[in-house]
Amino acid sequence: MRDIGFSTGALARDDVRKGVLLQESLDVGSIEVSALRFDELAHVTTAIESMPSDFHDVEHISFHAPSNIPDGKEAEVVETLMNRVPESWAIVVHPDVIEDFALWKRLDSRLCIENMDQRKKTGRTLPELKEIFKKVPNARFCFDIGHCHQVDPTMTESIRLLVEFRDRLALAHVSEVDYRSHHVPVTYATFSAFQYVSEFLRESCPLVIESVMFSDEDDDGDREIMKRIRNEFEKITRCFAVGTRMAS
């Protein structure tokens, strides 16, 4: 049985407590706290300092650093991550935000480099990621299957990444990534592709669902959102049932 849970940002944007509470009725073993926007970082790190008991029963917790860093703020972001995110949490970083690799090397093995979607200029493929890991050799790997599916729908690149970076793999992000590069619920058109790749993910790899469950266009209440959350959680659980190729 894999440890599976949601990114708080996929459920409630920067409302960390709500993002955690919406998962209470699920058997989650993994949660990612999201501060995807730079202006959310201070608020989100303050929130997690006041709610340690909310994470007590969760086996794997990670933190998603901002995906956009204003000029001159890189050192401030790294300092905040080092000092205000619990030391046991992996910190997921988009490689295209890194300008000064020496700064990020200070995070050592807490740093998790995520593979990127087709909009980005680096971090999308095995050769690009190999160059990045040369600069942060102790960093681990966050495998985003939705990004990889968008870049290469045959899923060949996914398998290459999982084989090459098997010893670096810390966690995996799961969602479908649409033509606008938005994270959306997994459709049955991609279910089988993800299921095939799941056999190359060892059982101990925690999964973080990034499929966005709320909508800015409507006024959905928590009951409707919970229905979507349960459906997505059950779907991902079925899709990533432990396979045989690299399960140990």
Side-chain angles (χ1 to χ4, degrees):
M1 180 71 176
R2 297 188 188 278
D3 286 320
I4 301 175
F6 282 86
S7 161
T8 57
L11 305 186
R13 195 166 279 145
D14 66 338
D15 189 340
V16 179
R17 187 174 294 277
K18 182 176 181 180
V20 172
L21 291 176
L22 284 170
Q23 303 184 59
E24 278 192 330
S25 64
L26 304 172
D27 184 20
V28 300
S30 174
I31 285 179
E32 185 161 282
V33 173
S34 174
L36 204 57
R37 298 158 189 82
F38 172 77
D39 59 5
E40 296 173 353
L41 184 59
H43 164 71
V44 169
T45 51
T46 298
I48 62 177
E49 288 169 350
S50 68
M51 51 186 291
S53 62
D54 295 84
F55 302 105
H56 182 69
D57 295 326
V58 182
E59 185 71 22
H60 300 279
I61 307 173
S62 52
F63 188 95
H64 203 308
S67 62
N68 219 325
I69 299 176
D71 291 343
K73 296 292 186 179
E74 189 175 14
E76 177 185 325
V77 168
V78 174
E79 198 68 26
T80 299
L81 295 171
M82 287 190 66
N83 295 326
R84 302 191 65 187
V85 176
E87 289 186 10
S88 60
W89 295 13
I91 297 174
V92 177
V93 176
H94 289 185
D96 63 306
V97 305
I98 299 178
E99 301 255 340
D100 185 348
F101 279 89
L103 283 174
W104 295 90
K105 281 178 75 174
R106 296 168 62 201
L107 290 170
D108 201 47
S109 61
R110 297 176 68 196
L111 176 64
C112 287
I113 299 295
E114 179 180 353
N115 60 293
M116 293 287 89
D117 62 52
Q118 64 185 8
R119 297 172 300 173
K120 303 302 175 70
K121 295 181 179 179
T122 189
R124 299 159 297 183
T125 63
L126 180 58
E128 291 173 353
L129 286 163
K130 278 185 171 182
E131 290 303 309
I132 290 162
F133 281 120
K134 286 179 182 177
K135 299 174 183 177
V136 280
N138 292 335
R140 292 182 291 166
F141 178 46
C142 172
F143 171 62
D144 191 305
I145 192 170
H147 286 167
C148 217
H149 180 256
Q150 186 199 51
V151 170
D152 175 24
T154 72
M155 306 309 283
T156 302
E157 196 66 19
S158 292
I159 295 168
R160 292 178 70 200
L161 293 178
L162 289 174
V163 171
E164 178 69 28
F165 300 132
R166 173 178 169 80
D167 293 337
R168 292 188 186 270
L169 185 65
L171 70 150
H173 284 170
V174 182
S175 71
E176 187 159 331
V177 178
D178 66 15
Y179 70 95
R180 298 170 298 176
S181 294
H182 293 169
H183 292 269
V184 298
V186 174
T187 64
Y188 286 98
T190 58
F191 184 96
S192 60
F194 284 12
Q195 192 171 45
Y196 175 71
V197 172
S198 76
E199 297 190 31
F200 292 85
L201 275 170
R202 62 178 181 269
E203 184 179 2
S204 59
C205 179
L207 305 184
V208 173
I209 304 171
E210 289 195 309
S211 313
V212 174
M213 295 288 105
F214 61 86
S215 171
D216 291 327
E217 280 82 41
D218 55 32
D219 236 349
D220 295 334
D222 284 352
R223 181 175 295 182
E224 178 58 31
I225 292 174
M226 273 309 308
K227 182 180 177 181
R228 295 177 191 169
I229 290 170
R230 288 193 190 95
N231 286 343
E232 191 72 357
F233 185 82
E234 291 169 4
K235 187 195 310 174
I236 300 305
T237 298
R238 291 196 309 273
C239 184
F240 287 84
V242 177
T244 58
R245 287 190 177 92
M246 300 177 77
S248 62

